[in-house]
């Protein structure tokens, strides 16, 4: 049986990779994917903990996260699609209208 | 079971139905509904009155509390009615004259577009006035007081398309506010002093000597300010002449017979309080006497038939206050009661003249109408004779009662003013009669073609009122007739204690009566000489004393003086405050705070780059710091 620490380490690795990808990549779509990676990493950490003391709670939380992630993916993709349709671009440098 | 507490409610129901559904009803239905409501009140009033006359409980006040209306700490005011001889007299006058004027209005207003609105207001007025006279405490009385003020405003401005009518309504309302402020302060002081507002509590407190004389004076004078506003006394009389812009039945009901006498009623109702304060009584008597003469002099030269009657009303109200001020409250109320008949008669007859002349008001364009108005002329003449104080008519007895009381109390100056006013009264009334009904016709040809006597709905009330103008005085004969004298005063005795002292010998009484008669005949004779025998005299007099004539014609320039001294400074001051304070300070503060918020926002927006990565970095650092603090 693989110890829980391995899973936690993998989750941490994936999470850091997600952060790095978010800052390195320049278009919304890949940044969006890296967020999904971070969410998956979080889920993995929860599941690893499900082997320990918080058996049921951790698994329930994972289901919630997956539900939210599914909804978020749908809305996020739709927004990105619309942004592309209006601006003909999803590069973050081109989307700076919030600048003060 | 005395049904007196139901008296105010039929007109309330009538007013409610007419306001809600008046537009959908036919004119006939509206007229019947309004008149039946007034008639129901009158019948109830007569039934209640009879129970007061006979039996063991004769003359004792009947109280009925419907429910506790206000209860706050020590303060308590009930919705309670009081029926005693004084309120009985008022209720009979209000419902009786009110009913006749309702009937008259069905004829007078028959062509008006807002027929239902008129009767709704008329019924509402009757309701409010009955609340006023039946109330058992000052607070409920104040409700009625304001109610009649509101109806007065609504009815003066009934033809609100006419700017003069709208302005007159506002003037009446605003001038009355001044008086009402005094009235309200009086009520508050009274409550602070004796801890109650019901008439029973007030009478007990005065009898028990709880109120110090100085306090009583303060309260009584403040309340009299309210009375002076409502009853159009100096210096608050200016609204009443302008109120003639309203329809004539309104002038007759509200501005002659009922509402304007509310002040007199209030003073008579609180007679123990006024009796406890000689200084306040002095104020009442002097203001009354001055008003009686002052208004009569203005009435001498006015050309508008209704304005003459308006100034005459102010003057007669002054007589009522003379009665109250010299301690003869019963005489004051007696004059109130007879005045209600002959003055509403005069107004309604004047309305009949206007009706016949297509709305003409200027007496210079009348004359010789006696032949054309065979029913209006005699009734008007009876009213004029009654108010002039010719013996054996009601006005003679009541005016004489007031003047005799003033003389008996040793107030010779006030008596002399009253007598002088009586000469003027007879003079201006017969000037009115001669200019309108006698002499040569000065009608415009167009008006003359439409000349017609008024319909029965209008002339029948005139005849009934004329009957009472003649005979109403016989309940209060002077002492010279022996044992049937002063029936009216004796009826009122449970409420109004007769004035102490000042009993005159029969000889003196006769002399005073002779003086009154002489005053009346002198006035009538002078009017005859001036306006009938030699109509050139008035013009020559006017040319000889142009200053005096202009002064009177312009009503002593009182309106102009008020305008310059009060209205204009107030308006201009308000404009200046608006400029300097509202615009600069208040608007400045509001706009300034908005501008400050905007500036702050623009400053803060400088840290926004618009790049998603920067925001994400901020989140990352924030989270790192948070976790660092949490764990280390």
């Amino acid at each position: 049986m693989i110890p829980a620490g391995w899973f936690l380490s993998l989750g941490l690795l994936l999470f850091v990779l997600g952060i790095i990808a978010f800052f390195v990549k320049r278009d919304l779509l890949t940044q969006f994917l890296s967020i999904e990676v971070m969410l998956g990493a979080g889920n993995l950490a929860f599941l690893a903990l499900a082997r320990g003391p918080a058996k049921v709670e951790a698994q329930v939380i994972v289901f919630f996260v997956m539900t939210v992630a599914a909804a978020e993916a749908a809305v996020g993709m739709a927004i990105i699609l619309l942004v592309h349709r209006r601006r003909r671009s999803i590069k973050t440098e081109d989307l700076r209208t919030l600048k003060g | 079971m005395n049904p007196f507490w139901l008296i105010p409610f039929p007109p309330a129901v009538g007013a409610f139905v007419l306001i809600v559904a008046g537009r959908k009803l036919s004119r006939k239905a509206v007229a019947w509904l309004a008149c039946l409501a007034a008639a129901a009140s009158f019948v109830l009033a007569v039934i209640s009155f009879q129970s007061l006359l006979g039996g063991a409980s004769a003359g004792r006040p009947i109280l009925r509390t419907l429910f506790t209306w206000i209860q706050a700490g020590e303060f308590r005011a009930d919705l309670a009615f009081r029926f005693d001889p004084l309120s009985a007299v008022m209720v009979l006058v209000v419902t009786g004259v009110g009913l006749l004027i309702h009937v008259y209005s069905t004829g007078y207003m028959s062509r008006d577009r807002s027929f239902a609105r008129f009767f709704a207001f008329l019924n509402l007025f009757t309701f409010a006035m009955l609340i006023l006279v039946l109330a058992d405490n000052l607070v409920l009385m104040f409700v009625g007081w304001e109610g009649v003020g509101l109806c007065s405003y609504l009815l003066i401005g009934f033809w609100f398309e006419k700017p003069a009518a709208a302005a007159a309504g506002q003037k009446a309302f605003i001038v009355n506010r001044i008086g009402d402020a005094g009235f309200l302060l009086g009520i508050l002081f009274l409550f602070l002093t004796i801890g109650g507002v019901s008439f029973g509590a007030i009478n007990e407190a005065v009898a028990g000597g709880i109120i110090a004389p100085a306090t009583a004076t303060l309260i009584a004078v403040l309340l009299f300010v309210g009375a002076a506003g409502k009853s159009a006394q100096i210096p608050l009389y200016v609204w009443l002449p302008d109120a003639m812009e309203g329809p004539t039945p309104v002038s007759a009901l509200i501005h002659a017979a009922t509402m304007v006498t509310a002040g007199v009623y209030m003073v008579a109702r609180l007679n123990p309080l006024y009796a406890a304060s000689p200084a306040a009584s002095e104020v009442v008597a002097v203001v009354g006497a001055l008003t009686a003469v002052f208004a009569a002099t203005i009435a001498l030269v006015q050309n508008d038939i209704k304005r003459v009657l308006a100034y005459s009303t102010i003057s007669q109200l002054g007589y009522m206050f003379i009665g109250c001020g010299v301690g003869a409250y019963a005489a004051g109320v007696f004059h109130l009661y007879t005045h209600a008949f002959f003055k509403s008669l005069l107004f309604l007859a004047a309305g009949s003249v206007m009706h016949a002349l297509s709305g003409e008001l200027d007496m210079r364009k009348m004359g010789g109408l006696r032949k054309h108005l065979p029913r209006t002329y005699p009734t008007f003449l009876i009213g004029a004779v009654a108010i002039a104080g010719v013996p054996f008519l009601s006005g003679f007895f009541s005016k004489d009662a007031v003047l005799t009381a003033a003389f008996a109390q040793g107030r010779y100056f006030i008596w002399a003013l009253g007598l002088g006013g009586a000469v003027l009264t007879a003079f201006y009334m017969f000037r009115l009669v001669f200019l309108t009904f006698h002499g040569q016709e000065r009608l415009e040809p167009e008006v003359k073609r439409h000349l017609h006597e008024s319909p029965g709905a209008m002339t029948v009330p005139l005849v009934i009122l004329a009957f009472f103008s003649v005979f109403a005085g016989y309940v209060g004969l002077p002492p010279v007739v022996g044992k049937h004298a002063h029936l009216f005063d004796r009826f009122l005795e449970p409420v109004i204690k007769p004035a102490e002292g000042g009993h005159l010998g029969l000889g003196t009484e006769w002399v005073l009566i002779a003086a009154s008669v002489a005053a009346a005949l002198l006035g009538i004779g002078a009017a005859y000489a001036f306006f009938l025998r030699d109509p050139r005299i008035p013009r020559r007099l006017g040319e000889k004393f142009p200053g005096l004539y202009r002064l009177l014609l312009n009503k002593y320039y009182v309106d102009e003086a008020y305008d310059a001294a009060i209205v204009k400074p107030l308006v201009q001051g308000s404009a200046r405050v608006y400029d300097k304070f509202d615009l600069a300070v208040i608007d400045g503060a509001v706009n300034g705070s908005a501008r400050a918020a905007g500036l702050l926002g623009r400053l803060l927006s400088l840290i926004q780059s618009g790049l998603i990565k920067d925001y994400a970095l901020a989140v990352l650092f924030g989270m790192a710091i948070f976790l660092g603090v949490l764990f280390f």
Side-chain angles (χ1 to χ4, degrees), chain B residues 510-533:
Chain B
W510 278 116
V511 171
L512 291 179
I513 289 174
S516 288
V517 176
L521 294 181
L522 179 65
I524 296 172
Y528 175 75
F530 276 35
F531 296 100
L532 219 52
R533 212 186 50 203

Side-chain angles (χ1 to χ4, degrees), chain A residues 22-23 25-26 95-96 99-100, chain B residues 605 608-610 613 616-617:
Chain A
F22 185 89
F23 284 102
K25 287 298 179 181
R26 291 181 169 191
L95 306 170
R96 305 188 55 168
K99 183 175 162 36
Chain B
S605 77
Q608 305 277 337
S609 69
K613 273 179 190 156
L617 207 62

Side-chain angles (χ1 to χ4, degrees), chain B residues 176-241:
Chain B
N176 268 301
R177 288 284 74 67
I178 300 169
D180 293 349
F183 190 23
L184 212 50
L185 282 177
I187 297 176
L188 289 176
F189 273 115
L190 198 62
F191 171 71
L192 285 178
T193 316
I194 67 170
V197 287
S198 77
F199 295 127
I202 295 168
N203 291 351
E204 267 173 42
V206 175
I210 297 176
I211 306 183
T215 324
T217 303
L218 175 69
I219 294 170
V221 168
L222 281 173
L223 291 174
F224 180 65
V225 171
K230 196 59 90 199
S231 293
Q233 297 295 291
I234 294 174
L236 298 177
Y237 70 91
V238 288
W239 64 272
L240 188 58

Side-chain angles (χ1 to χ4, degrees), chain B residues 222-270:
Chain B
L222 281 173
L223 291 174
F224 180 65
V225 171
K230 196 59 90 199
S231 293
Q233 297 295 291
I234 294 174
L236 298 177
Y237 70 91
V238 288
W239 64 272
L240 188 58
D242 287 20
M244 296 302 123
E245 293 290 343
T248 309
V250 170
S251 310
L253 178 62
I254 302 185
H255 305 120
T258 56
M259 184 189 85
V260 288
T261 63
V264 182
Y265 166 74
M266 193 257 282
V267 173
R269 169 58 78 200
L270 296 175

